[in-house]
Amino acid sequence: MSVVELCREDEIAVVLVDNPPVNALKHEVRVGLLNAFSQARDDPEIAAIVLTCAGRTFIAGADITEFDKPPKSPHLSEVIALIETIQKPVVAAIHGTALGGGFEIALGCHFRVAAPGTRVGLPEIKLGLIPGAGGTQRLPRLIGIEKALPMILSGNPVGAKEALQYGAIDSILDGEFTPAAVEFARKVLREKRPLRRVRDIDEKLAPIREDPAKFEEIAAASSKRTRGLHAPAAAIEAVRWSLEVPFEEAERRVRSAFQELRQGEQSKAQRYVFFAEREAAKVPGVTAGVRPREIARAGVIGAGTMGGGIAMCFANAGIPVTLIETGEEPLGRGLDTIAKNYRNTVKRGGLAADEMERRLGRIAGSTEFERLADADIVVEAVFEEMELKKRVFGDLDRVTKPDAVLATNTSYLDVDAIGQSTKRPQAVLGMHFFSPANVMRLLEVVRGKETAPDVLATAIAVGRRIGKVPVVVGVCHGFVGNRMLRARGIEAERMLLEGALPQDIDGAIVEFGFPMGPFAMGDLAGLDVGWRMRKAQGLKSEIADRLCEAGRFGQKTGKGFYLYEAGSRTPRPDPEVEKLIAEASARHGIARRSIDRREILERLLYPMINEGARILEEGVAARPGDIDIIWIYGYGWPVWRGGPMFYADQVGLAAIRDRLAEIAARAKDARLEPAPLLERLASERRGFASLTEPARARA
Ligand SMILES: NC(=O)c1ccc[n+]([C@@H]2O[C@H](COP(=O)([O-])OP(=O)(O)OC[C@H]3O[C@@H](n4cnc5c(N)ncnc54)[C@H](O)[C@@H]3O)[C@@H](O)[C@H]2O)c1
């Protein structure tokens, strides 16, 4: 069976794409479409054409693997140009998702009908690209720039109802879909409806052409948080061409802009991340035969910063949750914070008031542990103290169902030791959320020595259900993310002592693309958290401890590494802190020197990469891509730089090894000496990527 079939229903031709699983537009599909549409065009007995797809979705986009190869004719634009110029009505019958090139084909058809529940969109921006086959020109013509530009810049799809409202589709059809679409085509013929070529529509563009300031306004409003990215700027340019130059000329320019982005470092990194995220879903030892357990009810212990956010995650996904606290007072405080968070979202327009009520209705607070008896999964988020956690898990063992999954949100503690405090360590694992838990996408799923595969599978499945990106990691102090963060933190403090200021270090990392630097982040999270932990472990931090002793806990006290004016979250450099740092340098007999941005970056990032190499060697992370996903979704590593391990490969492992050896010698810190895996790969002239795709990376 070919990937594109041409069938007949009297005078209606049905072009059927059948390229499972998502009807991606690989080369054969483009050729098949070109042939089928030419044939239907030239057949005098055919009066109208319906384009439809087999399986669960319409064409859901390009075949992304083709982006790494030179373009192969026919280009999608040629297929669409052929479709658009046919002198017979062409109806796109869309179900599932019409994304990217799939939606661009639909935009080239004269009519678009959709099954209920369909979504359409142009997600290219998420891969560091712009729609390359007419999307940037046809969508603004069809629905206006005000609606089109946000769709193109966010990459987020819209549902059928919204698409109908915008005018992106003509009708939502109930009943059996293909026959309904064929009937729609017959109706078009009966009513002799004119063929609507989207490229010729101008009525929505004309008003904006008259008012260029309006365009800038829309562009500015829909391109926030795109600092450092090339694709959003290119997309805005491309949409601007829809106003300024004829369609053909605009499309020529778009094609060349697309090629430039495709070959650029940013899109390569973003495509890598796209695949790494999918790869992270494959967990060694969790085969397709391992079935996740049913989760109907959840429990959360501790209604503090994390517990409250975790309870919201369950409630948002429709899972009723019981939230346990030690007393009425902390419970009330936790529930109030949750309600306040929801109210703020409603105020900002992000949630309907009745939906807020439904979500709140799913969260039941209690001070009785026994209320967890019917929970299928429990996430513990009490204080970070081993003895307390062991006691809580002992109690959980007593009250929960035998097949309940028992998870801890610990940041650093030994998940195996926690498991040993129950009679069912196979049911225990870590589910490490990131703050704010209801917002951050990353979920480190910590696999204990005895964690059962189906328990792991359940945590992953629940993670996805509540909208997270789960990555499986092994047990070690701080798991993957915090362990690497610590390596960065130690070096950041060392540089303070040598001569840098917090704003120098934060400035360098923000310029690199992170949303904030280590010191601003410490101020946000609260410096007292780490202080308490260090005291418990008998550890010291030369500067942060002094700040805490002076009552400077960060944003919550208005000062930390920086100064915060009342009600402001903007960090301002503080001369008092500079003095305190200079005194610390003097105490250590260090002559302060100026440290340039390049050195700052190398000394922040290379120790992290080194720790990443150790993590891989120990098997705490299964793949370099898993580490990259953790840093992108949990710590704000700029997606267009692909994550720390991907970045390391771009810099070159030999250069990193040599620089680390120097840094280690100067600091007399063995931890900074190149990890054996880094040594080995560097001497073999390989990258981290070669660990997962040997053939490609070594070629
Ligand atoms: N704050 C973060 O950024 C962050 C991020 C990831 C993980 N974590 C981890 O999450 C856990 C909780 O951290 P947090 O920041 O939410 O702390 P928190 O101090 O804000 O909240 C802890 C809550 O647990 C309650 N509690 C204590 N003992 C209890 C018990 N026996 N039964 C029921 N409730 C009890 C306390 O009353 C308090 O409300 C810690 O293990 C921490 O390491 C924190």
Side-chain angles (χ1 to χ4, degrees):
M1 155 113 197
S2 117
V3 288
V4 180
E5 292 274 303
L6 179 64
C7 328
R8 291 267 312 260
E9 304 222 356
D10 308 327
E11 87 261 63
I12 312 286
V14 176
V15 175
L16 176 76
V17 179
D18 188 3
N19 177 31
V22 295
N23 294 311
L25 280 167
K26 65 176 178 184
H27 180 245
E28 287 95 312
V29 173
R30 298 199 299 275
V31 172
L33 284 170
L34 208 57
N35 291 339
F37 274 99
S38 312
Q39 214 178 318
R41 175 195 58 195
D42 298 339
D43 185 338
E45 296 192 356
I46 286 174
I49 308 164
V50 171
L51 169 63
T52 182
C53 292
R56 60 183 156 96
T57 180
F58 193 75
I59 299 164
D63 177 349
I64 297 173
T65 57
E66 285 189 2
F67 289 161
D68 288 331
K69 303 168 196 152
K72 210 162 151 194
S73 175
H75 186 270
L76 183 58
S77 298
E78 294 167 50
V79 179
I80 297 175
L82 171 94
I83 293 174
E84 197 172 41
T85 48
I86 292 177
Q87 301 294 327
K88 308 170 181 179
V90 181
V91 179
I94 312 169
H95 74 291
T97 47
L99 298 178
F103 188 37
E104 288 180 303
I105 291 192
L107 292 171
C109 297
H110 308 127
F111 301 92
R112 283 155 296 280
V113 297
T118 297
R119 292 182 313 148
V120 300
L122 296 170
E124 286 83 351
I125 204 92
K126 297 188 175 180
L127 296 176
L129 297 168
I130 57 174
T136 62
Q137 305 306 305
R138 288 195 183 87
L139 194 59
R141 284 171 164 80
L142 188 62
I143 67 175
I145 283 178
E146 215 151 358
K147 296 279 187 279
L149 200 50
M151 275 182 77
I152 294 170
L153 286 173
S154 72
N156 294 332
V158 300
K161 281 194 199 133
E162 221 174 326
L164 183 65
Q165 221 175 27
Y166 290 1
I169 58 172
D170 302 293
S171 185
I172 299 176
L173 303 179
D174 291 318
E176 213 190 320
F177 189 52
T178 305
V182 168
E183 188 42 44
F184 180 91
R186 288 193 212 286
K187 197 165 126 207
V188 166
L189 289 174
R190 262 197 321 273
E191 294 174 1
K192 300 199 170 50
R193 288 208 212 167
L195 304 189
R196 221 162 150 245
R197 294 199 172 87
V198 176
R199 57 180 286 167
D200 298 333
I201 304 175
D202 195 55
E203 72 230 25
K204 295 224 162 116
L205 294 183
I208 303 251
R209 201 177 286 119
E210 306 295 298
D211 181 7
K214 183 77 188 156
F215 180 85
E216 302 308 328
E217 196 184 300
I218 302 167
S222 38
S223 60
K224 292 182 182 140
R225 283 198 289 266
T226 56
R227 185 171 60 91
L229 290 165
H230 296 156
I236 291 171
E237 258 329 274
V239 172
R240 197 197 307 276
W241 294 330
S242 73
L243 297 170
E244 294 175 352
V245 296
F247 183 89
E248 292 295 344
E249 169 61 17
E251 270 302 281
R252 245 192 315 278
R253 293 187 192 180
V254 166
R255 266 199 297 284
S256 101
F258 178 91
Q259 289 308 338
E260 202 175 305
L261 290 168
R262 179 181 75 82
Q263 287 161 6
E265 292 303 319
Q266 294 198 344
S267 176
K268 272 188 203 151
Q270 286 178 262
R271 269 139 49 199
Y272 160 82
V273 172
F274 177 87
F275 287 115
E277 187 178 332
R278 266 145 199 80
E279 196 66 23
K282 297 178 202 146
V283 182
V286 180
T287 46
V290 179
R291 300 202 65 79
R293 298 180 187 176
E294 286 290 326
I295 300 295
R297 304 192 65 86
V300 172
I301 310 175
T305 311
M306 295 306 287
I310 297 168
M312 288 173 78
C313 292
F314 285 118
N316 295 349
I319 304 171
V321 53
T322 305
L323 185 56
I324 302 289
E325 258 293 348
T326 45
E328 292 300 335
E329 201 272 327
L331 180 61
R333 202 168 351 115
L335 291 172
D336 285 350
T337 305
I338 291 174
K340 197 176 82 199
N341 278 338
Y342 277 131
R343 275 199 304 273
N344 284 341
T345 315
V346 171
K347 248 188 254 159
R348 281 202 312 271
L351 189 68
D354 57 342
E355 179 57 19
M356 168 178 85
E357 293 306 330
R358 273 195 290 279
R359 292 179 184 192
L360 279 170
R362 291 186 195 118
I363 303 176
S366 174
T367 56
E368 291 161 31
F369 231 78
E370 285 66 24
R371 292 281 299 279
L372 295 173
D374 61 355
D376 302 300
I377 185 166
V378 179
V379 182
E380 165 277 314
V382 304
F383 302 129
E384 184 79 342
E385 290 162 23
M386 186 52 117
E387 289 318 308
L388 174 62
K389 302 230 186 224
K390 282 187 175 166
R391 210 164 58 233
V392 166
F393 272 78
D395 289 344
L396 273 179
D397 203 12
R398 193 169 43 75
V399 304
T400 53
K401 298 196 283 195
D403 58 351
V405 169
L406 309 181
T408 170
N409 181 47
T410 180
S411 310
Y412 293 94
L413 300 174
D414 182 348
V415 172
D416 289 324
I418 294 173
Q420 288 307 323
S421 62
T422 70
K423 291 193 204 69
R424 40 175 146 161
Q426 69 285 352
V428 176
L429 82 176
M431 285 176 77
H432 184 209
F433 290 77
F434 289 73
S435 183
N438 54 316
V439 177
M440 297 296 288
R441 301 280 315 279
L442 177 64
L443 178 67
E444 277 185 332
V445 176
V446 189
R447 176 185 209 161
K449 260 204 300 281
E450 296 190 43
T451 307
D454 69 325
V455 169
L456 198 60
T458 307
I460 295 168
V462 169
R464 288 221 187 87
R465 207 168 136 196
I466 62 178
K468 302 296 173 197
V469 180
V471 182
V472 174
V473 301
V475 175
C476 68
H477 186 76
F479 316 117
V480 171
N482 283 343
R483 176 169 159 186
M484 288 168 68
L485 185 71
R486 182 148 184 273
R488 186 179 84 172
I490 291 172
E491 206 51 26
E493 168 147 307
R494 209 173 255 146
M495 283 191 278
L496 286 186
L497 284 174
E498 287 176 31
L501 292 173
Q503 55 270 30
D504 301 330
I505 292 172
D506 284 356
I509 206 92
V510 168
E511 189 181 66
F512 182 79
F514 276 84
M516 64 173 83
F519 298 113
M521 195 170 109
D523 277 359
L524 175 67
L527 302 178
D528 52 320
V529 182
W531 188 38
R532 230 178 302 126
M533 209 169 72
R534 282 193 297 279
K535 280 199 285 196
Q537 297 175 351
L539 297 172
K540 279 200 181 339
S541 164
E542 202 48 54
I543 291 157
D545 287 356
R546 305 265 162 171
L547 292 174
C548 290
E549 284 157 16
R552 304 183 67 118
F553 292 168
Q555 287 193 16
K556 60 176 129 179
T557 55
K559 38 190 175 169
F561 279 102
Y562 298 96
L563 206 56
Y564 300 86
E565 277 156 24
S568 162
R569 288 172 168 272
T570 312
R572 306 218 176 280
D574 185 349
E576 232 174 83
V577 174
E578 291 175 22
K579 195 166 141 252
L580 188 140
I581 293 172
E583 283 165 6
S585 305
R587 265 200 313 279
H588 286 263
I590 299 171
R592 293 177 65 76
R593 65 180 171 97
S594 97
I595 303 182
D596 65 25
R597 291 220 147 163
R598 183 188 164 128
E599 179 177 345
I600 292 177
L601 268 190
E602 288 174 349
R603 288 179 60 186
L604 291 176
L605 304 181
Y606 295 1
M608 283 174 53
I609 291 163
N610 205 29
E611 206 56 44
R614 288 200 186 95
I615 283 168
L616 283 173
E617 208 156 24
E618 293 164 19
V620 167
R623 290 165 285 248
D626 292 4
I627 300 179
D628 289 329
I629 293 301
I630 287 173
W631 270 82
I632 286 166
Y633 285 107
Y635 297 85
W637 183 287
V639 62
W640 47 274
R641 288 196 194 266
M645 308 319 272
F646 179 86
Y647 175 75
D649 282 358
Q650 310 307 301
V651 174
L653 298 193
I656 294 177
R657 172 199 57 194
D658 297 346
R659 188 75 180 99
L660 274 169
E662 277 168 36
I663 300 171
R666 195 137 48 102
K668 299 193 184 57
D669 181 348
R671 207 63 207 161
L672 291 172
E673 275 161 23
L677 176 66
L678 177 62
E679 276 288 4
R680 179 162 63 80
L681 292 176
S683 66
E684 291 171 8
R685 297 172 184 282
R686 290 167 56 191
F688 288 116
S690 70
L691 297 172
T692 32
E693 29 178 306
R696 216 162 109 189
R698 276 181 228 173

